[in-house]
Amino acid sequence: MDLINKDFPQLYPNVFGTENVSLLLYSLIKCYRPQKLLEIGAGYSTLFIAQALKDIKYEIENTTKVIPVPPEYVEERYNPYLEVIENEEKMKEDLKKIKDNLDNLNLSKFVNINKQDIYSYNFDKEYDFIWVDFGSGAEYLDFFEKFEKILAKGGIIIFHSTLSNLYGRLFELELKL
């Protein structure tokens, strides 16, 4: 199965624009090349994020074989990973489908799914890229304050549905203020 083809979107129907956001996340990650990623809430986007990591790793490894690259640009090996926090009780069937697709697409080695509640999870490291695919605008300010502390300098944090619902827009306005 290929990640982007006519059959795959049928597994995850067009809901809330996720199919478009997933492609955006894929492109951002390909450009930014983060190593440590965090996703709050597993879903359709998990597969695209993992695919981006796999594609970047492949490109780096194969480019350095063909084009001589100065060692200072490749001293640190690119070993990315996506840490996903998901409450399994609410997503049991979807989580199984996501894991099966990660396996089918040879993406599992890039993803670590933690089956925990976000409110009790102990964050003990920094991340280059954080995708908050959970909650509503009403919770976003608290989430932002929590996740800003674990965002690496120069990192990117993205919240879902900030433009498609009232609370998301209020959160956006609060950040501007």
Side-chain angles (χ1 to χ4, degrees):
M1 175 183 359
D2 189 15
L3 184 57
I4 303 171
N5 68 21
K6 64 180 177 51
D7 300 321
F8 196 77
Q10 293 172 7
L11 297 174
Y12 294 89
N14 178 356
V15 180
F16 306 118
T18 304
E19 72 290 352
N20 296 319
V21 172
S22 295
L23 290 170
L24 173 65
L25 291 170
Y26 174 88
S27 297
L28 283 171
I29 291 165
K30 288 275 304 217
C31 290
Y32 183 57
R33 294 186 174 197
Q35 292 230 35
K36 298 176 280 184
L37 296 87
L38 174 65
E39 180 179 28
I40 309 300
Y44 186 58
S45 55
T46 305
L47 303 168
F48 282 82
I49 293 169
Q51 184 67 54
L53 299 178
K54 179 181 177 183
D55 291 351
I56 294 165
K57 188 164 177 62
Y58 176 83
E59 290 166 5
I60 288 171
E61 289 172 353
N62 288 289
T63 300
T64 57
K65 290 177 187 171
V66 177
I67 302 169
V69 178
E72 61 268 20
Y73 293 107
V74 290
E75 281 179 9
E76 187 177 321
R77 301 215 29 98
Y78 185 71
N79 290 311
Y81 68 89
L82 169 63
E83 190 167 344
V84 179
I85 312 299
E86 180 58 68
N87 183 339
E88 185 182 31
E89 290 179 28
K90 296 178 181 176
M91 290 278 295
K92 199 168 250 180
E93 285 183 36
D94 287 342
L95 202 51
K96 180 176 178 357
K97 187 188 295 186
I98 291 164
K99 286 180 176 181
D100 289 346
N101 283 318
L102 286 167
D103 288 340
N104 292 339
L105 294 163
N106 296 314
L107 299 172
S108 295
K109 69 180 179 180
F110 297 100
V111 181
N112 179 31
I113 297 177
N114 295 291
K115 301 171 194 168
Q116 287 189 332
D117 187 85
I118 184 65
Y119 301 103
S120 62
Y121 190 78
N122 180 29
F123 293 99
D124 59 355
K125 56 184 160 252
E126 288 188 332
Y127 297 91
D128 306 314
F129 190 97
I130 300 173
W131 164 234
V132 183
D133 194 13
F134 170 78
S136 66
E139 301 165 298
Y140 283 175
L141 201 50
D142 290 336
F143 283 166
F144 182 78
E145 289 171 358
K146 181 177 192 161
F147 298 137
E148 181 185 36
K149 293 174 185 169
I150 58 168
L151 185 64
K153 187 174 182 168
I156 295 173
I157 184 169
I158 301 173
F159 286 81
H160 82 114
S161 300
T162 54
L163 300 177
S164 61
N165 68 59
L166 174 63
Y167 290 114
R169 289 190 179 257
L170 290 173
F171 165 69
E172 181 186 2
L173 288 172
E174 183 73 24
L175 286 180
K176 287 180 181 178
L177 294 174

